[in-house]
């Protein structure tokens, strides 16, 4: 672990630099797959599934029977855990629902804002050794709560043409409408264009390897939205002497086991704490099954000592961590001054794993410094806000003159005209009323 | 105008097709400018300003004196109009502020969501003959309300090296922090990388020509967010016999004057109404200063007759218009069934111009069908939502077992470990308490 004492502001950008990803060589492959899927549909999806997943499929869509079967293979204990997580995630995301915002901005001018669901969304869940059913909870639950009509899930099959039972169980539990055995670039392309069996969607969510990440970027060129740009997962811990070094070490390692490019940073106002954590990391590392991965990530990690908490906060905001753990005596100071972070974990008994699985918050969060301008996935990610307005004849009389002046100053005469014609009509109506009386 | 009666569902995609934009040839130019600005900073911005705007500038930043001077050149009447618009826009966007969402998902597990401002935002305002000061209102007001610290505005200077007074007046009125005389690709590149004088920003907002549009797309590759992807402006009107054909024609024309590629569609359940509007458009067109532009847009516009309002709604949702005017007897039916639209204008006395300038709603809206998945600019566009959680020892005992099971099932042992160590510590503390008593 790299220990750094009192880094100068000038050195921050170097110290906090994230690993750069080169994607240009991947872009060509992605473009090819997209072009082929657009033309060839299902048959191309099957060709690539055979090529990359080593299995030849008759049907891409997972059947009801397969889903029912899967449920039998998930341990009752795990089902209960998934249900508990579901309940908490549901409760937290349901509370994010906002009411219609209604404002009468001037007499006779009613304006309101309403959120309505994105009709069709696509969720991508990676395959591989670890079945990421927790990500289904994080995406399908808010999609369902938002009211999305079509919730499509794509995930690669294994060599037997099957999908992990925990994935199928969770998808069914959370209201996914259609599940497809297709992964990688071809899955993203399928949801972008639609094929005979895979529906075209308006927004694609979910994690993936660098191929999937680039495919999602390319999908935006074809009019599809994505949850957010992705990068390697990261954790920054601020801890002072009030922190438990054993817990801090375990949190750093839980981040480090994600991948060799995971980012792990510990900032402290206590040199003693840094030393203790360093020792603890070495001890705990030994027993981890994913030790080799974690070890590499830890080698690149940083332990940063600063002698002032204000300085610490500035440095942390400059980094904008995806996950941010605060174990500090004066935790309120740190909470109040968070400007950029995906999700914040406070106190000794709040491990990052809690938010990854079951506390209720979402684990799909902005990495790579995107916490500076992107939200993590939340209920609004599955909706769009629209505005409405209704103006009465009185209302247009109240604001019409201003519109005319502004439209004219911008050189848009027809914009002005649309108001003038209405104002004239009102004047005419009034004079004819006056004439009658 | 193209009149279409009862188009079949199969024909919708052809009828509703938007003009395709070719951007690949522009991308090379944009890449070049970006690379140069990244290296050369201010001096490159000045070189391009000389090349494209025909003026050699000493300083890019607009001075306080220039802003004060500008105010003297804006008519008092126009200032009042801008102030009225500001008040309405402010009121509508202020009402969008949401409170902290706080949920105790399980005893001892507190989760909350808070929105915090994006620290630095950039607003782009095009130059040219029409000074779009109304767009400054639409962007700077919510930026200020959100609490953005740095609100940078870039706009190209004229040949005398000056910026239109109405732009400077509005920018100062709405709390823009820094104004720069730089436009086009170079302005977007400047805000993306930062130069000696232009600050680097985290999110860029605002309209522009195709060069600016592509530049904004490229900016996202460098980690900057943008308000939304852009396309030509568009209006769809649904009108039945309750609509005033003179008003409908004026609204269609106010859209058509934007540009030759503007999209104008009228859907109706009344053939008579279609005929009347067609005649009115010809009459009103004659007097418009931007007649030639409007005429071309109108030539490509469509008058669509359908004999059933449900069918009309389906067609409209398939299109997903940026602006959507409803002039119908049964307006509630149309309001309730809007699935995809940027902003909705209801009734005979609600022209689109009202929302463009002064009613209070935002005029930066999703075009090109993006209303299916993107929100128009609103208060939240200038903030990001973050989550927080604080768990007590009791709390982690309540959800710890579930986290352990799920982490293990996903093959992430260190994630499990972070919980196990904490649960063990609690058990130890309890037994030592029991031992003492």
């Amino acid at each position: 672990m790299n220990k750094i004492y009192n880094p100068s502001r000038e050195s921050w950008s170097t110290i906090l630099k994230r690993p750069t990803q080169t994607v240009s060589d991947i872009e060509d492959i992605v473009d090819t797959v997209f072009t082929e899927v657009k033309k060839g549909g299902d048959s191309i999806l099957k060709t690539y599934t055979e090529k990359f997943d080593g299995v030849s499929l008759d049907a891409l869509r997972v059947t009801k029977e397969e889903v029912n079967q899967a449920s039998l293979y998930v341990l009752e204990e795990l089902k209960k855990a998934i249900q508990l997580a579901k309940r908490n995630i549901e409760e937290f995301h349901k509370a994010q629902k906002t009411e219609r915002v209604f404002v009468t901005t001037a007499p006779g001018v009613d304006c309101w804002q309403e959120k309505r669901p994105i009709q069709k969304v696509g969720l991508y869940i990676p395959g591989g050794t670890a079945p990421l059913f927790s990500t289904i909870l994080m995406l399908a639950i808010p999609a369902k709560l938002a009211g999305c009509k079509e919730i499509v899930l794509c995930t690669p099959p294994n060599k037997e043409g099957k999908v992990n039972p925990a994935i199928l169980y969770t998808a069914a539990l959370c209201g996914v409408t259609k599940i497809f055995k297709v992964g990688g670039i071809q899955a993203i392309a399928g949801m972008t264009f639609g094929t005979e069996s895979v529906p075209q969607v308006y927004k694609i969510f979910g994690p993936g390897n660098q191929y999937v990440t680039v495919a999602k970027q390319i999908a935006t060129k074809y009019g599809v939205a994505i949850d957010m740009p992705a990068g390697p997962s990261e954790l920054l811990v601020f801890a002072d002497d009030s922190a438990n070094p054993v817990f801090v070490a375990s949190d750093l390692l839980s981040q480090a086991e994600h991948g060799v490019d995971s980012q792990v940073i510990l900032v402290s106002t206590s040199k003693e704490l840094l030393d203790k954590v360093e020792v603890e990391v070495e001890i705990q590392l030994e027993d981890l099954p994913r030790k080799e991965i974690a070890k590499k990530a830890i080698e690149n990690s940083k332990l940063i000592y600063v002698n002032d908490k204000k300085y610490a906060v500035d440095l942390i905001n400059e980094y904008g961590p995806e996950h941010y753990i605060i174990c500090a005596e004066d935790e309120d100071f740190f909470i109040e001054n968070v400007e950029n972070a995906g999700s914040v974990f406070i106190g000794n008994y709040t491990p990052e794993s809690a938010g990854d699985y079951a506390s209720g918050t979402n684990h799909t969060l902005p990495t790579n410094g995107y916490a500076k301008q992107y939200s993590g996935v939340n209920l609004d990610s599955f909706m769009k806000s629209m505005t409405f307005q209704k103006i009465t004849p009185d209302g247009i009389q109240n604001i019409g003159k201003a519109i005319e002046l502004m439209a004219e100053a911008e050189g848009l005469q027809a914009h002005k005209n649309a108001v003038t014609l209405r104002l004239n009509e009102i004047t005419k109506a009034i004079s004819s009323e006056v004439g009658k009386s």
Side-chain angles (χ1 to χ4, degrees), chain A:
Chain A
M1 301 181 93
N2 306 301
K3 243 186 260 179
I4 303 151
Y5 286 174
N6 285 319
S8 68
R9 269 176 204 265
E10 292 68 41
S11 69
W12 286 3
S13 65
T14 316
I15 293 170
L16 302 176
K17 203 176 161 72
R18 291 161 163 105
T20 46
Q21 296 170 289
T22 48
V23 294
S24 43
D25 45 330
I26 296 180
E27 270 184 26
D28 290 341
I29 305 167
V30 173
D31 277 331
T32 308
V33 177
F34 267 61
T35 312
E36 289 184 21
V37 170
K38 192 178 179 182
K39 266 196 243 161
D42 277 355
S43 83
I44 298 291
L45 296 187
K46 286 177 188 169
T47 306
Y48 277 108
T49 304
E50 191 155 3
K51 188 170 171 189
F52 292 124
D53 304 303
V55 58
S56 165
L57 296 174
D58 287 331
L60 292 165
R61 186 161 172 192
V62 173
T63 62
K64 261 209 179 111
E65 291 68 43
E66 286 178 283
V67 174
N68 293 340
Q69 276 288 319
S71 175
L72 306 174
Y73 291 99
V74 182
L75 291 176
E76 217 42 52
E77 217 183 10
L78 181 59
K79 280 186 192 169
K80 289 245 168 67
I82 292 172
Q83 286 160 15
L84 176 142
K86 176 172 181 272
R87 203 199 52 215
N88 290 351
I89 296 163
E90 224 161 44
E91 228 177 299
F92 187 59
H93 288 76
K94 203 186 283 170
Q96 293 167 22
K97 215 159 223 168
T98 46
E99 293 300 307
R100 184 170 88 142
V101 175
F102 189 100
V103 183
T104 300
T105 53
V109 182
D110 288 344
C111 300
W112 65 101
Q113 182 200 42
E114 266 181 57
K115 288 174 190 159
R116 300 207 176 176
I118 298 172
Q119 296 299 315
K120 306 176 198 177
V121 297
L123 319 182
Y124 184 77
I125 303 295
T129 45
L132 296 184
F133 56 84
S134 63
T135 302
I136 304 176
L137 293 166
M138 298 298 172
L139 300 177
I141 291 172
K144 188 81 187 164
L145 285 173
C148 303
K149 275 186 197 163
E150 185 85 282
I151 306 171
V152 175
L153 188 150
C154 288
T155 190
N158 66 13
K159 290 211 181 338
E160 284 75 48
K162 299 224 183 297
V163 173
N164 184 289
I167 286 187
L168 295 183
Y169 169 77
T170 311
L173 183 74
C174 299
V176 167
T177 52
K178 285 174 186 152
I179 309 170
F180 296 93
K181 295 173 190 170
V182 58
I185 306 169
Q186 60 273 22
I188 306 300
M191 293 191 281
T192 299
F193 301 116
T195 67
E196 300 90 321
S197 54
V198 181
Q200 184 181 37
V201 302
Y202 300 148
K203 191 168 181 178
I204 298 175
F205 296 79
N209 59 20
Q210 49 183 350
Y211 292 96
V212 170
T213 299
V214 174
K216 281 172 66 189
Q217 283 166 6
I218 299 290
T220 64
K221 281 198 185 179
Y222 295 97
V224 175
I226 60 170
D227 47 0
M228 68 190 84
S233 192
E234 53 194 35
L235 167 68
L236 185 147
V237 180
F238 177 87
D240 62 17
D241 283 321
S242 73
N244 181 324
V246 177
F247 298 171
V248 172
S250 75
D251 292 327
L252 296 177
L253 286 166
S254 77
Q255 184 58 39
E257 78 172 338
H258 273 301
V260 292
D261 55 0
S262 283
Q263 290 277 293
V264 178
I265 298 176
L266 171 60
V267 180
S268 183
T269 42
S270 159
K271 288 180 190 169
E272 294 69 36
L273 189 273
L274 289 185
D275 293 340
K276 284 185 199 160
V277 171
E278 195 176 20
V279 172
E280 259 305 315
V281 164
E282 293 305 321
I283 296 170
Q284 293 181 28
L285 187 58
E286 284 311 308
D287 295 330
L288 292 181
R290 293 166 73 95
K291 180 176 156 182
E292 289 315 311
I293 292 172
K295 207 171 170 176
K296 285 211 180 96
I298 286 293
E299 276 165 18
N300 296 318
S301 69
K302 298 195 169 80
L303 306 177
I304 303 175
Y305 167 80
V306 290
N307 52 16
D308 165 34
K309 66 184 178 185
K310 176 74 186 69
Y311 196 76
V313 156
D314 286 353
L315 179 136
I316 293 163
N317 282 328
E318 181 60 33
Y319 183 67
E322 178 193 12
H323 303 100
Y324 175 21
I325 296 181
I326 299 169
C327 283
E329 187 90 51
D330 186 6
E331 62 186 30
D332 288 341
F333 172 81
F334 286 89
I335 297 171
E336 275 156 32
N337 288 292
V338 183
E339 288 181 349
N340 308 312
S343 197
V344 185
F345 302 77
I346 302 150
N348 272 314
Y349 286 89
T350 313
E352 190 209 299
S353 340
D356 286 340
Y357 290 108
S359 61
T361 59
N362 209 292
H363 78 200
T364 308
L365 298 167
T367 56
N368 207 25
Y370 284 117
K372 289 174 181 166
Q373 67 270 72
Y374 286 90
S375 306
V377 164
N378 58 76
L379 187 66
D380 281 350
S381 312
F382 297 88
M383 311 186 89
K384 67 262 178 182
S385 92
M386 295 183 213
T387 52
F388 297 77
Q389 63 199 283
K390 188 171 178 178
I391 304 178
T392 63
D394 269 359
I396 198 72
Q397 284 183 296
N398 285 328
I399 63 169
K401 187 77 195 154
I403 301 169
E404 288 179 316
L405 280 164
M406 292 170 76
E408 185 153 34
E410 286 195 349
L412 297 171
Q413 195 64 33
H415 281 65
K416 180 186 176 184
N417 224 24
V419 173
T420 310
L421 287 169
R422 285 163 165 100
L423 292 179
N424 290 347
E425 185 70 27
I426 295 168
T427 314
K428 239 183 3 193
I430 292 172
S431 359
S432 101
E433 274 305 306
V434 172
K436 272 186 220 159
S437 63

